[in-house]
C-alpha cells in the first residue's frame, strides 16, 4: 500500500521534469525566461489544444492611469505575454481590464485586436455607457464587464446592476473581484442580476477559512441557481502556506472542482501586479497545480478548453 503524499508526488514530478530538461552541459532544454514570471521550465501537465488563459493583464505607459488608481505596475506588453503563451503552450487568452486604467478601455481594445481571434476581453464600464459603445466593444471581442471592491480605479459598485441590465442582450457577464465578506454582503444584488457572475480569484475567500467561509456557500448557490462561474486564479495572492503547492488555496480550488467542474476556468493572472517584482510566481507551476486540483485529464480539458469556449464564445 502506497504512503506517498500529494506533496511527495508533486516533488517527484518536479525532479523528473528537471532531470529530463537538462541537455548536455547541464543547460535546461527549452528553458525560457519570461518577464514578470519566475522559473523557466515548461509545465509538466499535458496542455490540451486550444487551452485558454482566462485572466491576464496588459500594461502600457502610453495610457494614463485612472486618477483614483493605486495599483500602477510597470509595462507588461503583448510581446511579453506571447512569450508566456509559448512557454505554457496556451493558444487562447482573455485580457482583463485592470483597475489601473479604470473605465478607459483603449489599451484593452487595442490589445485584444492585436492578439486576434484567439483573444477576448473583459472591460470596466460605468452606468453611463451607451448602446453604441457596447456594440463597438462587442465587435472588438469584449465579453464581460469587471467590477471590483478591493482596489480603487474602476466604476462604483452601485453601477453594477444598471450595467448588468445594459449588457444582458449581448450575452455578456459580470466579473466580480471582491472579498469574501463583500460577496456575502452583495448576495441579494448578485441574485437579481440578469447575467451570470464570474468570480475572480476563487472569490478571494480568506484563509484559513477557505471553503468553510460563508462566501463559498453564496457562490455555490449562485452557480446552482444563476449559472455563476469561478476563476481558478490567484492561488498565490491570499495563500499563507506559500509556493510551490499553495496548499491552503489548493484546498479551496479542490472544493470548487468537487462542486462544479463545468463552471470553472483557469487563468495565470500574469503579470501578477500585486506581487513584488522579486516575488513573481512561476506560471508553469501555477498551471501544474491543475494536476492536483483536478487529477482527471478530462476535467483539466474542460477547465482549460470547453468551459472557456462556452463562457467567452471561442
Amino acid at each position: 500500500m502506497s504512503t506517498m503524499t500529494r506533496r511527495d508526488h508533486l516533488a517527484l514530478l518536479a525532479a523528473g521534469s528537471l532531470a529530463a530538461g537538462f541537455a548536455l552541459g547541464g543547460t535546461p532544454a527549452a528553458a525560457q525566461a519570461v518577464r514578470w514570471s519566475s522559473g523557466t521550465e515548461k509545465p509538466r501537465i499535458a496542455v490540451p489544444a486550444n487551452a485558454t488563459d482566462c485572466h491576464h493583464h496588459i500594461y502600457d505607459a502610453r495610457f494614463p492611469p485612472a486618477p483614483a488608481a493605486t495599483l500602477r505596475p510597470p509595462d507588461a506588453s503583448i510581446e511579453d505575454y506571447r512569450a508566456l503563451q509559448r512557454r505554457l503552450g496556451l493558444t487562447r487568452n482573455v485580457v482583463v481590464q485592470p483597475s489601473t486604467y479604470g473605465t478607459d478601455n483603449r489599451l484593452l481594445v487595442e490589445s485584444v485586436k492585436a492578439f486576434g481571434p484567439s483573444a477576448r476581453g473583459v472591460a470596466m464600464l460605468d452606468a453611463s455607457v451607451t448602446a453604441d459603445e457596447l456594440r463597438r466593444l462587442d465587435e472588438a471581442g469584449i465579453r464581460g464587464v469587471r467590477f471590483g471592491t478591493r482596489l480603487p480605479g474602476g466604476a462604483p459598485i452601485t453601477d453594477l446592476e444598471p450595467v448588468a441590465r445594459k449588457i444582458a442582450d449581448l450575452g455578456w457577464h459580470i466579473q466580480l473581484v471582491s472579498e469574501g465578506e463583500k460577496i456575502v454582503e452583495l448576495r441579494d444584488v448578485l441574485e437579481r442580476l440578469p447575467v451570470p457572475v464570474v468570480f475572480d480569484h476563487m472569490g478571494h475567500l480568506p484563509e484559513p477559512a477557505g471553503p468553510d467561509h460563508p462566501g463559498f456557500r453564496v457562490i455555490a448557490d449562485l452557480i446552482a441557481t444563476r449559472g455563476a462561474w469561478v476563476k481558478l486564479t490567484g492561488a498565490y495572492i491570499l495563500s499563507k502556506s506559500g509556493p510551490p503547492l499553495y496548499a491552503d488555496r489548493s484546498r479551496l480550488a479542490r472544493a470548487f472542482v468537487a462542486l462544479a467542474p463545468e463552471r470553472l476556468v483557469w487563468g495565470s493572472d500574469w503579470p501578477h501586479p500585486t506581487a513584488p517584482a522579486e516575488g513573481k510566481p512561476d506560471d508553469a507551476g501555477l498551471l501544474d497545480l491543475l494536476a492536483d486540483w483536478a487529477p482527471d485529464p478530462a476535467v483539466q480539458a474542460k477547465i482549460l478548453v470547453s468551459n472557456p469556449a462556452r463562457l467567452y464564445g471561442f
Side-chain angles (χ1 to χ4, degrees):
M1 178 175 170
S2 173
T3 59
M4 180 175 286
T5 66
R6 181 179 291 109
R7 182 182 294 271
D8 293 334
H9 179 65
L10 290 179
L12 184 61
L13 282 174
S17 175
L18 183 63
F22 277 80
L24 292 176
T27 302
Q32 181 185 21
V34 175
R35 292 189 77 204
W36 315 124
S37 178
S38 67
T40 58
E41 298 303 316
K42 294 182 179 295
R44 299 184 300 274
I45 69 169
V47 179
N50 296 320
T52 311
D53 180 350
C54 293
H55 191 105
H56 76 90
H57 310 289
I58 298 295
Y59 294 94
D60 191 324
R62 292 181 298 131
F63 296 86
T70 56
L71 188 62
R72 302 185 179 194
D75 284 5
S77 71
I78 290 168
E79 286 308 312
D80 291 334
Y81 180 74
R82 283 177 169 148
L84 183 71
Q85 280 188 304
R86 290 190 294 270
R87 179 183 165 204
L88 299 185
L90 305 174
T91 53
R92 293 172 175 171
N93 59 301
V94 179
V95 189
V96 175
Q97 176 78 343
S99 63
T100 304
Y101 303 111
T103 57
D104 179 357
N105 294 286
R106 290 177 297 163
L107 175 58
L108 173 71
V109 170
E110 178 182 292
S111 300
V112 173
K113 287 182 176 179
F115 282 118
S118 63
R120 299 289 186 269
V122 176
M124 279 188 168
L125 300 168
D126 60 29
S128 69
V129 66
T130 65
D132 286 345
E133 175 67 1
L134 288 173
R135 281 192 293 270
R136 184 185 73 84
L137 291 171
D138 189 65
E139 291 170 359
I142 307 307
R143 294 296 180 264
V145 180
R146 190 186 198 205
F147 279 84
T149 63
R150 301 189 77 245
L151 292 168
I157 197 69
T158 51
D159 282 8
L160 191 155
E161 282 192 86
V163 168
R165 290 193 291 271
K166 289 186 175 188
I167 66 174
D169 289 343
L170 293 170
W172 290 12
H173 59 267
I174 290 291
Q175 181 172 319
L176 183 64
V177 50
S178 194
E179 307 88 338
E181 293 299 330
K182 190 67 175 179
I183 289 171
V184 175
E185 181 183 324
L186 289 171
R187 177 174 191 155
D188 291 345
V189 174
L190 300 177
E191 288 178 341
R192 291 197 299 265
L193 297 183
V195 298
V197 178
V198 179
F199 290 93
D200 259 47
H201 305 324
M202 297 185 278
H204 276 287
L205 302 182
E207 296 299 338
D212 300 321
H213 189 276
F216 184 88
R217 178 43 51 193
V218 173
I219 295 171
D221 289 345
L222 287 166
I223 289 173
T225 63
R226 307 297 296 166
W229 298 78
V230 174
K231 288 191 173 186
L232 298 178
T233 55
Y236 64 95
I237 296 175
L238 292 181
S239 177
K240 296 182 182 300
S241 57
L245 300 179
Y246 304 102
D248 44 6
R249 305 311 278 168
S250 291
R251 173 176 171 254
L252 176 59
R254 287 193 295 273
F256 278 122
V257 171
L259 174 73
E262 73 283 357
R263 309 303 293 183
L264 307 177
V265 295
W266 178 90
S268 67
D269 193 37
W270 183 93
H272 315 291
T274 60
E278 68 280 3
K280 301 294 184 182
D282 180 343
D283 288 282
L286 294 177
L287 183 52
D288 280 333
L289 288 174
L290 271 180
D292 176 37
W293 299 349
D296 184 349
V299 176
Q300 295 170 21
K302 185 177 294 186
I303 293 169
L304 290 171
V305 182
S306 58
N307 290 353
R310 288 165 50 214
L311 178 58
Y312 299 103
F314 285 113

